Amino acid sequence: MKKVSVDIESKRLNTPPPVSERILSPDLARGTMLLLILLAHAPLLLFGTSATGFALIIRPEGTTTLDKIINFVSYLVVDNRARPMFAVLFGFGMALIVERQLTKGQTVKGTKRLLHRRAWLLILFGFVNSVIIGGHDILAIYGTGALLLGWLLFRSDHAMNWTLLSLTFFFVFLMPIVWVYFAHAGEPFYNITAMTSYMDIVQDRFSSFFLTPIAHFLMPILIPIITGVWAARKKLFTEPERHRQLLLSIAVVGITLSFIGALPYAISSAFALDIHPTIGGVVYAVHMLTGLAGGCGYAAIFALLGPALNPNKLAIRAIAALGKRSLTFYIYNEAMLVFLLSPVALGLGGLLNSTGITILAVIIWLSAVCLAFMLEKRALSGPLETVFRRMIYSNRKKPALQQKHG
């Protein structure tokens, strides 16, 4: 009987929240974010064409007016903006997990163990996505971010605010130095060609994967993760009506700063202007740093939209269904990009321009929306969410619970 009661208590702690308790805004934001990530990642698999841009955001050089407009808009509102929005949602989700576990009686030690397990599994899934599938990965970056910041979830608001402020000053100082260096040193990242083989990709991704922690010094992802934790403590997503004015201010200020900061890079890259590497590195650093404000602004917009939208409308339900299964469909999207674009598969990346790649990204996203909605109608979780959850909670130790029932 003791073992049965322990298992029941463990199942109560580890069961995800019922559908009725889910908040619409984060799911809607995650579903939309997957489109932005597709639009950002798809051009990275193009080859055989002249490219514009630098480092993490490269796009085919526009040959038509429409191509140039698409490149310009993408540099302005997508690139270096989708990733921070996802990071805000990731931090928000971590904070909710901690709150839920502690509320249901889990110990601090047990909750920390759960967070570490989730972080390492994200790194594992990221390894599969990057090295085996060949997609452009963000899961391992968030996993290492969770390992680096997990302790902060159990500290006071004062400690969190000081950490956020310190990291912000640190990265404002560091980013221009890093990207000016890369601008002078030449292209810092591996680019595929028509002759690239699958083993070439595996070898490159395998060797670079273990440098993932260094990515946190190239992309200031830790800042929006902490911002997401702050938003969860302030209940910005769970009680948006109480914080409408604050959310509106974050949205307006964040997106305004994002547009202003992105404009120099968008103009110079979309129209292939020849600028000095030092200026180019600084412009790119400003683009990345102001993207943090943009990601926060986007997240605030979805927090405001959630209560105003009808969750029973077909489009809202479908996009939210995608957001609930963001792990499954993030990897699905990356796999589809590789299958359609990579030279080791269909190789369409050697044929498409900016317009074509944008249309393809939207089609992949719409297919993901349809598949997610089919799972939602059948009350099924995403396949990878199910695997992820089972791997987290299988054979989990329960010392505190055993004492409680022993």
Side-chain angles (χ1 to χ4, degrees), residues 382-402:
L384 293 185
E385 277 78 8
T386 300
V387 172
F388 189 83
R389 198 172 296 121
R390 287 178 178 175
M391 292 177 73
I392 287 176
Y393 299 121
S394 63
N395 300 320
R396 189 176 169 198
K397 296 179 181 179
K398 319 173 192 69
L401 292 174
Q402 287 171 351

Side-chain angles (χ1 to χ4, degrees), residues 18 22 35 42 52 83 89 99 136 142 154 192 208 218 221 236 242 269 312 322-323 339 343-344 357 367 376:
R22 291 192 71 99
L35 172 60
T52 66
R83 188 170 51 244
L89 298 172
E99 180 183 355
H136 286 84
Y142 293 129
F154 303 91
I192 60 174
S208 62
L218 304 178
I221 288 299
L236 297 189
R242 288 181 52 203
S269 294
N312 295 318
L322 181 63
F339 175 71
V344 304
I357 201 69
S367 73
E376 179 76 6

Side-chain angles (χ1 to χ4, degrees), residues 339-357:
F339 175 71
L340 294 171
L341 299 175
S342 174
V344 304
L346 295 186
L348 295 179
L351 304 174
L352 296 175
N353 56 12
S354 286
T355 303
I357 201 69

Side-chain angles (χ1 to χ4, degrees), residues 117-381:
R117 194 175 180 90
R118 290 178 67 90
W120 282 110
L121 282 175
L122 279 175
I123 293 171
L124 174 62
F125 277 60
F127 180 87
V128 172
N129 178 47
S130 178
V131 179
I132 308 302
I133 296 174
H136 286 84
D137 185 62
I138 58 176
L139 299 177
I141 293 175
Y142 293 129
T144 54
L147 291 176
L148 291 170
L149 296 175
W151 62 273
L152 196 58
L153 292 159
F154 303 91
R155 296 295 189 271
S156 65
D157 289 349
H158 180 75
M160 182 184 64
N161 293 339
W162 268 107
T163 303
L164 180 59
L165 188 62
S166 299
L167 283 175
T168 300
F169 279 114
F170 173 74
F171 280 110
V172 166
F173 174 76
L174 179 67
M175 287 295 97
I177 297 174
V178 167
W179 291 111
V180 166
Y181 167 79
F182 278 129
H184 281 278
E187 200 57 55
F189 299 99
Y190 178 78
N191 292 317
I192 60 174
T193 69
M195 302 303 294
T196 299
S197 68
Y198 176 71
M199 289 310 299
D200 290 334
I201 296 174
V202 170
Q203 182 178 3
D204 173 75
R205 297 295 178 82
F206 183 83
S207 61
S208 62
F209 185 82
F210 297 98
L211 301 176
T212 297
I214 297 176
H216 286 286
F217 294 97
L218 304 178
M219 301 177 291
I221 288 299
L222 298 179
I223 294 173
I225 291 177
I226 299 175
T227 303
V229 176
W230 173 82
R233 291 188 179 184
K234 294 292 184 181
K235 301 188 181 300
L236 297 189
F237 279 101
T238 51
E239 300 176 6
E241 296 89 348
R242 288 181 52 203
H243 305 284
R244 182 175 178 80
Q245 192 58 48
L246 176 59
L247 287 167
L248 190 60
S249 298
I250 293 172
V252 171
V253 174
I255 292 176
T256 300
L257 285 175
S258 177
F259 279 9
I260 294 172
L263 201 56
Y265 185 82
I267 294 172
S268 62
S269 294
F271 301 101
L273 302 182
D274 186 16
I275 58 177
H276 190 275
T278 300
I279 297 175
V282 172
V283 165
Y284 184 79
V286 170
H287 187 275
M288 179 171 283
L289 288 168
T290 54
L292 303 179
C296 294
Y298 292 171
I301 286 177
F302 282 101
L304 288 167
L305 285 176
L309 296 174
N310 182 356
N312 295 318
K313 284 193 174 181
L314 180 61
I316 303 300
R317 289 176 60 199
I319 296 174
L322 181 63
K324 293 177 188 177
R325 300 160 180 84
S326 57
L327 176 61
T328 292
F329 287 102
Y330 169 71
I331 294 182
Y332 165 83
N333 289 346
E334 293 297 316
M336 289 298 294
L337 286 178
V338 171
F339 175 71
L340 294 171
L341 299 175
S342 174
V344 304
L346 295 186
L348 295 179
L351 304 174
L352 296 175
N353 56 12
S354 286
T355 303
I357 201 69
T358 300
I359 293 172
L360 181 66
V362 172
I363 291 172
I364 293 173
W365 181 75
L366 289 173
S367 73
V369 171
C370 292
L371 291 171
F373 189 58
M374 289 171 60
L375 292 173
E376 179 76 6
K377 290 181 69 175
R378 290 164 177 77
L380 297 174
S381 298

